[in-house]
Amino acid sequence: MQGIIAEARNFIALYQKNGIGRERILIKIASTWEGIRAAEVLQKEGINCNMTLLFSLPQAVACAEARARLISPFVGRILDCTRKHRKRLRAAEDPACNR
């Protein structure tokens, strides 16, 4: 947890040194127990956090309780869903690759 906090503070200092205020920055943190506790500390310091690698409602609730600025649930990739319904898929058929 302390490493995450130190790294976030370092990023904020580097940006501030270059004239970019902390209000414009989101520190991306994995929604592990340590990450959520780090976000709680950082948010109290006015350092906004974007919680990622979030797969469940209990994780989301913990992030919200830590007052994270942004919670980014991971809902899976398009290709994973497609593969579930079709056994085989060629790259040319990948809906994520074809625009």
Side-chain angles (χ1 to χ4, degrees), residues 78-79 82-83 86 89-99:
I78 295 171
L79 182 57
T82 304
R83 282 187 176 147
R86 293 190 219 165
L89 184 68
R90 295 187 311 263
E93 298 173 307
D94 184 349
C97 296
N98 296 312
R99 297 181 188 158

PDB file of all heavy atoms in Angstrom, residues 78-79 82-83 86 89-99:
ATOM      1  N   ILE A  78     -15.038  -8.010 -26.154  1.00  0.00           N
ATOM      2  CA  ILE A  78     -16.028  -8.416 -27.150  1.00  0.00           C
ATOM      3  C   ILE A  78     -15.705  -9.806 -27.681  1.00  0.00           C
ATOM      4  O   ILE A  78     -16.581 -10.650 -27.826  1.00  0.00           O
ATOM      5  CB  ILE A  78     -16.073  -7.395 -28.306  1.00  0.00           C
ATOM      6  CG1 ILE A  78     -16.567  -6.055 -27.782  1.00  0.00           C
ATOM      7  CG2 ILE A  78     -16.950  -7.902 -29.446  1.00  0.00           C
ATOM      8  CD1 ILE A  78     -16.434  -4.928 -28.782  1.00  0.00           C
ATOM      9  N   LEU A  79     -14.443 -10.063 -27.934  1.00  0.00           N
ATOM     10  CA  LEU A  79     -14.037 -11.345 -28.490  1.00  0.00           C
ATOM     11  C   LEU A  79     -14.361 -12.500 -27.538  1.00  0.00           C
ATOM     12  O   LEU A  79     -14.759 -13.566 -27.981  1.00  0.00           O
ATOM     13  CB  LEU A  79     -12.539 -11.328 -28.824  1.00  0.00           C
ATOM     14  CG  LEU A  79     -11.974 -12.595 -29.462  1.00  0.00           C
ATOM     15  CD1 LEU A  79     -12.722 -12.940 -30.740  1.00  0.00           C
ATOM     16  CD2 LEU A  79     -10.493 -12.416 -29.739  1.00  0.00           C
ATOM     17  N   THR A  82     -17.960 -13.351 -28.034  1.00  0.00           N
ATOM     18  CA  THR A  82     -18.151 -13.967 -29.349  1.00  0.00           C
ATOM     19  C   THR A  82     -17.670 -15.417 -29.329  1.00  0.00           C
ATOM     20  O   THR A  82     -18.350 -16.309 -29.831  1.00  0.00           O
ATOM     21  CB  THR A  82     -17.408 -13.172 -30.437  1.00  0.00           C
ATOM     22  OG1 THR A  82     -17.871 -11.824 -30.396  1.00  0.00           O
ATOM     23  CG2 THR A  82     -17.652 -13.748 -31.812  1.00  0.00           C
ATOM     24  N   ARG A  83     -16.522 -15.652 -28.740  1.00  0.00           N
ATOM     25  CA  ARG A  83     -15.973 -17.015 -28.684  1.00  0.00           C
ATOM     26  C   ARG A  83     -16.868 -17.944 -27.871  1.00  0.00           C
ATOM     27  O   ARG A  83     -16.955 -19.127 -28.155  1.00  0.00           O
ATOM     28  CB  ARG A  83     -14.570 -16.990 -28.093  1.00  0.00           C
ATOM     29  CG  ARG A  83     -13.536 -16.542 -29.078  1.00  0.00           C
ATOM     30  CD  ARG A  83     -12.150 -16.699 -28.510  1.00  0.00           C
ATOM     31  NE  ARG A  83     -11.170 -16.341 -29.504  1.00  0.00           N
ATOM     32  CZ  ARG A  83     -10.006 -15.785 -29.236  1.00  0.00           C
ATOM     33  NH1 ARG A  83      -9.666 -15.536 -27.994  1.00  0.00           N
ATOM     34  NH2 ARG A  83      -9.167 -15.492 -30.195  1.00  0.00           N
ATOM     35  N   ARG A  86     -19.545 -18.916 -30.395  1.00  0.00           N
ATOM     36  CA  ARG A  86     -19.024 -19.614 -31.581  1.00  0.00           C
ATOM     37  C   ARG A  86     -17.742 -20.313 -31.165  1.00  0.00           C
ATOM     38  O   ARG A  86     -16.856 -19.689 -30.608  1.00  0.00           O
ATOM     39  CB  ARG A  86     -18.668 -18.617 -32.687  1.00  0.00           C
ATOM     40  CG  ARG A  86     -19.834 -17.909 -33.281  1.00  0.00           C
ATOM     41  CD  ARG A  86     -19.307 -17.165 -34.494  1.00  0.00           C
ATOM     42  NE  ARG A  86     -19.934 -15.865 -34.601  1.00  0.00           N
ATOM     43  CZ  ARG A  86     -19.490 -14.891 -35.355  1.00  0.00           C
ATOM     44  NH1 ARG A  86     -18.381 -15.036 -36.029  1.00  0.00           N
ATOM     45  NH2 ARG A  86     -20.121 -13.761 -35.426  1.00  0.00           N
ATOM     46  N   LEU A  89     -13.209 -18.832 -34.182  1.00  0.00           N
ATOM     47  CA  LEU A  89     -13.359 -17.502 -34.737  1.00  0.00           C
ATOM     48  C   LEU A  89     -12.062 -17.099 -35.430  1.00  0.00           C
ATOM     49  O   LEU A  89     -10.990 -17.171 -34.845  1.00  0.00           O
ATOM     50  CB  LEU A  89     -13.670 -16.500 -33.623  1.00  0.00           C
ATOM     51  CG  LEU A  89     -13.952 -15.072 -34.035  1.00  0.00           C
ATOM     52  CD1 LEU A  89     -15.266 -14.990 -34.796  1.00  0.00           C
ATOM     53  CD2 LEU A  89     -14.022 -14.195 -32.803  1.00  0.00           C
ATOM     54  N   ARG A  90     -12.184 -16.725 -36.682  1.00  0.00           N
ATOM     55  CA  ARG A  90     -11.013 -16.235 -37.417  1.00  0.00           C
ATOM     56  C   ARG A  90     -10.834 -14.756 -37.120  1.00  0.00           C
ATOM     57  O   ARG A  90     -11.790 -14.051 -36.814  1.00  0.00           O
ATOM     58  CB  ARG A  90     -11.199 -16.453 -38.910  1.00  0.00           C
ATOM     59  CG  ARG A  90     -11.256 -17.934 -39.308  1.00  0.00           C
ATOM     60  CD  ARG A  90     -11.278 -18.123 -40.822  1.00  0.00           C
ATOM     61  NE  ARG A  90     -12.271 -17.294 -41.507  1.00  0.00           N
ATOM     62  CZ  ARG A  90     -13.475 -17.705 -41.857  1.00  0.00           C
ATOM     63  NH1 ARG A  90     -13.858 -18.939 -41.610  1.00  0.00           N
ATOM     64  NH2 ARG A  90     -14.311 -16.887 -42.468  1.00  0.00           N
ATOM     65  N   ALA A  91      -9.609 -14.271 -37.241  1.00  0.00           N
ATOM     66  CA  ALA A  91      -9.325 -12.864 -36.967  1.00  0.00           C
ATOM     67  C   ALA A  91     -10.191 -11.930 -37.798  1.00  0.00           C
ATOM     68  O   ALA A  91     -10.643 -10.888 -37.312  1.00  0.00           O
ATOM     69  CB  ALA A  91      -7.850 -12.575 -37.218  1.00  0.00           C
ATOM     70  N   ALA A  92     -10.455 -12.302 -39.026  1.00  0.00           N
ATOM     71  CA  ALA A  92     -11.273 -11.465 -39.906  1.00  0.00           C
ATOM     72  C   ALA A  92     -12.717 -11.333 -39.365  1.00  0.00           C
ATOM     73  O   ALA A  92     -13.419 -10.406 -39.738  1.00  0.00           O
ATOM     74  CB  ALA A  92     -11.278 -12.034 -41.309  1.00  0.00           C
ATOM     75  N   GLU A  93     -13.141 -12.258 -38.535  1.00  0.00           N
ATOM     76  CA  GLU A  93     -14.502 -12.229 -37.990  1.00  0.00           C
ATOM     77  C   GLU A  93     -14.590 -11.532 -36.639  1.00  0.00           C
ATOM     78  O   GLU A  93     -15.675 -11.359 -36.099  1.00  0.00           O
ATOM     79  CB  GLU A  93     -15.032 -13.646 -37.830  1.00  0.00           C
ATOM     80  CG  GLU A  93     -15.154 -14.419 -39.124  1.00  0.00           C
ATOM     81  CD  GLU A  93     -15.515 -15.868 -38.844  1.00  0.00           C
ATOM     82  OE1 GLU A  93     -14.811 -16.513 -38.038  1.00  0.00           O
ATOM     83  OE2 GLU A  93     -16.494 -16.340 -39.420  1.00  0.00           O
ATOM     84  N   ASP A  94     -13.452 -11.155 -36.066  1.00  0.00           N
ATOM     85  CA  ASP A  94     -13.418 -10.561 -34.733  1.00  0.00           C
ATOM     86  C   ASP A  94     -14.098  -9.190 -34.754  1.00  0.00           C
ATOM     87  O   ASP A  94     -13.620  -8.271 -35.415  1.00  0.00           O
ATOM     88  CB  ASP A  94     -11.970 -10.432 -34.270  1.00  0.00           C
ATOM     89  CG  ASP A  94     -11.863  -9.898 -32.838  1.00  0.00           C
ATOM     90  OD1 ASP A  94     -12.882  -9.432 -32.284  1.00  0.00           O
ATOM     91  OD2 ASP A  94     -10.746  -9.939 -32.298  1.00  0.00           O
ATOM     92  N   PRO A  95     -15.232  -9.031 -34.059  1.00  0.00           N
ATOM     93  CA  PRO A  95     -15.935  -7.742 -34.102  1.00  0.00           C
ATOM     94  C   PRO A  95     -15.120  -6.613 -33.485  1.00  0.00           C
ATOM     95  O   PRO A  95     -15.349  -5.454 -33.798  1.00  0.00           O
ATOM     96  CB  PRO A  95     -17.209  -8.016 -33.293  1.00  0.00           C
ATOM     97  CG  PRO A  95     -16.950  -9.240 -32.518  1.00  0.00           C
ATOM     98  CD  PRO A  95     -15.903 -10.022 -33.259  1.00  0.00           C
ATOM     99  N   ALA A  96     -14.165  -6.923 -32.651  1.00  0.00           N
ATOM    100  CA  ALA A  96     -13.316  -5.880 -32.063  1.00  0.00           C
ATOM    101  C   ALA A  96     -12.315  -5.341 -33.069  1.00  0.00           C
ATOM    102  O   ALA A  96     -11.837  -4.222 -32.937  1.00  0.00           O
ATOM    103  CB  ALA A  96     -12.583  -6.430 -30.843  1.00  0.00           C
ATOM    104  N   CYS A  97     -11.989  -6.127 -34.087  1.00  0.00           N
ATOM    105  CA  CYS A  97     -10.995  -5.720 -35.086  1.00  0.00           C
ATOM    106  C   CYS A  97     -11.624  -5.113 -36.324  1.00  0.00           C
ATOM    107  O   CYS A  97     -10.972  -4.380 -37.062  1.00  0.00           O
ATOM    108  CB  CYS A  97     -10.151  -6.921 -35.508  1.00  0.00           C
ATOM    109  SG  CYS A  97      -9.177  -7.598 -34.171  1.00  0.00           S
ATOM    110  N   ASN A  98     -12.859  -5.424 -36.590  1.00  0.00           N
ATOM    111  CA  ASN A  98     -13.527  -4.954 -37.808  1.00  0.00           C
ATOM    112  C   ASN A  98     -14.380  -3.730 -37.489  1.00  0.00           C
ATOM    113  O   ASN A  98     -15.331  -3.812 -36.734  1.00  0.00           O
ATOM    114  CB  ASN A  98     -14.403  -6.058 -38.397  1.00  0.00           C
ATOM    115  CG  ASN A  98     -13.566  -7.224 -38.836  1.00  0.00           C
ATOM    116  OD1 ASN A  98     -12.578  -7.039 -39.509  1.00  0.00           O
ATOM    117  ND2 ASN A  98     -13.959  -8.414 -38.434  1.00  0.00           N
ATOM    118  N   ARG A  99     -14.006  -2.651 -38.117  1.00  0.00           N
ATOM    119  CA  ARG A  99     -14.764  -1.397 -37.848  1.00  0.00           C
ATOM    120  C   ARG A  99     -15.576  -1.022 -39.032  1.00  0.00           C
ATOM    121  O   ARG A  99     -15.329  -1.270 -40.131  1.00  0.00           O
ATOM    122  CB  ARG A  99     -13.788  -0.279 -37.524  1.00  0.00           C
ATOM    123  CG  ARG A  99     -13.039  -0.618 -36.260  1.00  0.00           C
ATOM    124  CD  ARG A  99     -12.102   0.479 -35.910  1.00  0.00           C
ATOM    125  NE  ARG A  99     -11.296  -0.023 -34.813  1.00  0.00           N
ATOM    126  CZ  ARG A  99     -10.143   0.440 -34.490  1.00  0.00           C
ATOM    127  NH1 ARG A  99      -9.628   1.414 -35.150  1.00  0.00           N
ATOM    128  NH2 ARG A  99      -9.488  -0.046 -33.496  1.00  0.00           N
TER     129      ARG A  99
END
